[in-house]
């Protein structure tokens, strides 16, 4: 066991988690954290084995209570994300993945390759003349959103909102505790996502 117990709500994890994970791996890639009542798995091979097991559980709702208190169950983001495919028990998760998997195949992505390449080049053309770029914000965050928009035929209005919605989604699914303002951002975004994609 490492000298300092692993704290999944350590703010350093949001900045640079890799030294923390390396320290855990160096001690033991599979260790039981008594203070969390959970196993911490940081080794690639061990993590792959865990993720392939059919008897596991995500434990998302328990972790949300840990990070934000018992009252979090009343928050819209908690209720919406708790019912998402990402947080379903294994059998339900697999059932839903089977239903949508054919639409997210490599061949499906290949069919959109030319259209997505046009978008990628357009994004690059938008900043290449400047000679500098904040790559995550200007390209890496925007290209997947545009690709999803093309796949689902969302239209520009939804695409413009998606960046804001993704920020709220990320807050709702991250590990660190949320401030009241961040909870509000997560609630607003997840409610909008749920409404818009529910309509689709």
């Amino acid at each position: 066991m490492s000298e300092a117990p692993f704290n999944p709500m350590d703010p350093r994890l949001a900045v640079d988690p890799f030294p923390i994970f390396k320290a855990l791996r160096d001690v033991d890639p599979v260790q039981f954290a008594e203070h969390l009542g959970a196993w911490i798995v940081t080794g690639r091979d061990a993590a792959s084995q865990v993720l392939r097991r059919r008897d596991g559980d995500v434990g998302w709702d328990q972790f949300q209570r840990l990070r934000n208190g018992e009252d979090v169950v009343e928050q819209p983001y908690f209720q919406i994300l708790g019912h998402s495919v990402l947080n379903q028990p294994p059998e339900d998760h697999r059932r839903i993945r089977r239903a949508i998997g054919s639409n997210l195949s490599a061949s499906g992505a290949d069919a959109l390759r030319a259209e997505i390449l046009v978008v990628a080049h357009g994004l690059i053309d938008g900043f290449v003349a400047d000679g500098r770029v904040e790559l995550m914000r200007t390209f890496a965050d925007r290209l997947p959103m545009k690709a999803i928009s093309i796949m689902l035929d969302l239209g520009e209005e939804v695409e413009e909102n998606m960046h804001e919605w993704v920020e709220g989604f990320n807050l709702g699914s991250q590990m660190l505790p949320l401030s009241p303002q961040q909870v509000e951002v997560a609630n607003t975004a997840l409610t909008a996502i749920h409404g818009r994609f529910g309509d689709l």
Side-chain angles (χ1 to χ4, degrees):
M1 188 65 163
S2 58
E3 292 181 11
F6 174 65
N7 176 9
M9 291 177 281
D10 185 335
R12 292 177 300 164
L13 287 170
V15 179
D16 184 8
F18 303 109
I20 295 171
F21 295 151
K22 182 182 183 312
L24 288 165
R25 275 196 309 275
D26 288 348
V27 172
D28 187 352
V30 180
Q31 52 185 268
F32 186 72
E34 292 184 23
H35 63 292
L36 297 173
W39 289 91
I40 306 299
V41 181
T42 53
R44 183 187 187 284
D45 293 340
S48 294
Q49 287 181 10
V50 169
L51 291 171
R52 286 195 191 101
R53 290 183 63 118
R54 292 184 166 265
D55 60 347
D57 198 359
V58 175
W60 181 84
D61 55 339
Q62 294 96 323
F63 189 77
Q64 293 300 312
R65 289 181 173 94
L66 176 66
R67 79 191 269 239
N68 285 315
E70 288 296 325
D71 291 345
V72 73
V73 299
E74 304 298 327
Q75 299 295 339
Y77 92 83
F78 177 93
Q79 296 172 17
I80 293 167
L81 279 180
H83 288 97
S84 77
V85 64
L86 298 173
N87 297 311
Q88 293 305 300
E91 283 305 317
D92 286 336
H93 182 83
R94 282 190 289 276
R95 176 180 55 79
I96 296 167
R97 279 189 62 183
R98 281 194 299 270
I100 64 174
S102 61
N103 296 306
L104 302 173
S105 64
S107 60
D110 280 342
L112 297 172
R113 182 181 300 274
E115 195 171 355
I116 292 171
L117 277 173
V118 169
V119 171
H121 286 292
L123 290 172
I124 293 167
D125 290 344
F127 64 74
V128 73
D130 295 339
R132 60 174 49 214
V133 64
E134 202 296 302
L135 199 58
M136 287 300 294
R137 185 178 67 250
T138 309
F139 185 79
D141 285 345
R142 294 184 67 194
L143 183 61
M145 294 300 100
K146 287 188 170 288
I148 291 168
S149 181
I150 290 168
M151 288 174 68
L152 300 178
D153 193 22
L154 296 179
E156 287 186 20
E157 176 200 346
V158 174
E159 188 181 317
E160 286 173 12
N161 289 320
M162 280 176 65
H163 298 284
E164 191 176 312
W165 294 347
V166 167
E167 179 188 351
F169 177 90
N170 289 341
L171 286 171
S173 56
Q174 75 175 15
M175 299 174 82
L176 301 179
L178 299 178
S179 69
Q181 293 81 8
Q182 289 173 319
V183 169
E184 188 56 39
V185 170
N187 285 339
T188 300
L190 267 298
T191 300
I193 291 170
H194 184 65
R196 187 65 182 90
F197 285 85
D199 291 343
L200 287 173

